[in-house]
Amino acid sequence: MRRPFARRTRLSAEVLRRAALPRGVRVLAWASSDDGPWLLGTRDALVLVDTDETLSIPWERVEAADWERDEDLLRITEVGEFGRSRPVHAFIVPDPGHLLPLVRERVTASVLLQRRVVTGRGRGVLVIARRPPRGSGEITWAFEFDAGVDPEDPAVARAAEEGLRAAQDELGEGGRRI
């Protein structure tokens, strides 16, 4: 009988070596995937360790993480840039252990502010401010437009910019737009 979220796999010294984590960085949770990579959660990033490469995704760059229990599918979507496809990483993870709660906690901790700006007919844009969950580091700002909202429309662009300025004033910081 399979127990949900029970840690069955040990994190080997070889996986840690391939992860090449900076000195002092601790792995807080991990999971192995049936299709190869290991997923390591640290305080600052999700680290994907495969046999030939390692990818570190800072928590503030993770837009969403979804686990489909019936298929054991873990899908990680990165924050995207307007006009470009968002990077999506998918893994078969039969036992996510403590990784899922860590991912949720770290991604949530990276969000400083979300403000909805209505642009017309019940649609709008979400203004989002994020920073590394440790609480220091540059704030990044992003817009998430509702389906059917044209970011190129001058009225929409004006409303989004006004929402951004109001949110920046509220936090008292500028930051970088993505």
Side-chain angles (χ1 to χ4, degrees):
M1 179 174 173
R2 188 168 124 183
R3 288 186 343 206
F5 307 115
R7 184 180 297 169
R8 291 189 197 126
T9 55
R10 290 208 178 278
L11 187 57
S12 72
E14 174 60 18
V15 170
L16 283 173
R17 184 191 65 71
R18 288 194 329 249
L21 299 172
R23 187 177 190 91
V25 173
R26 289 182 42 227
V27 175
L28 303 175
W30 65 87
S32 64
S33 67
D34 282 0
D35 45 353
W38 280 77
L39 296 85
L40 313 180
T42 70
R43 180 178 181 197
D44 296 322
L46 176 65
V47 182
L48 310 176
V49 182
D50 210 340
T51 52
D52 56 344
E53 70 176 313
T54 297
L55 175 63
S56 181
I57 306 169
W59 293 119
E60 65 274 17
R61 299 289 305 161
V62 175
E63 180 177 330
D66 301 299
W67 186 57
E68 296 175 24
R69 185 181 187 114
D70 292 340
E71 287 93 37
D72 293 335
L73 181 67
L74 177 62
R75 185 176 295 115
I76 307 290
T77 306
E78 292 186 49
V79 172
E81 294 182 28
F82 180 70
R84 294 188 175 180
S85 297
R86 292 183 177 152
V88 177
H89 311 275
F91 310 95
I92 303 299
V93 181
D95 184 8
H98 298 290
L99 186 66
L100 289 180
L102 178 72
V103 169
R104 286 186 189 104
E105 186 274 326
R106 295 280 78 198
V107 169
T108 300
S110 75
V111 177
L112 291 175
L113 175 138
Q114 291 185 358
R115 289 291 177 267
R116 180 154 175 73
V117 178
V118 177
T119 58
R121 289 187 229 126
R123 295 185 183 154
V125 59
L126 195 59
V127 178
I128 306 164
R130 296 181 75 178
R131 88 160 50 154
R134 72 178 107 68
S136 62
E138 184 178 25
I139 295 174
T140 56
W141 294 90
F143 297 117
E144 189 172 299
F145 295 91
D146 289 349
V149 173
D150 179 8
E152 303 296 323
D153 178 317
V156 170
R158 197 170 32 259
E161 286 299 324
E162 288 171 7
L164 173 64
R165 279 193 300 279
Q168 287 173 329
D169 288 347
E170 185 176 331
L171 288 182
E173 298 190 38
R176 177 174 56 92
R177 270 181 52 183
I178 53 173

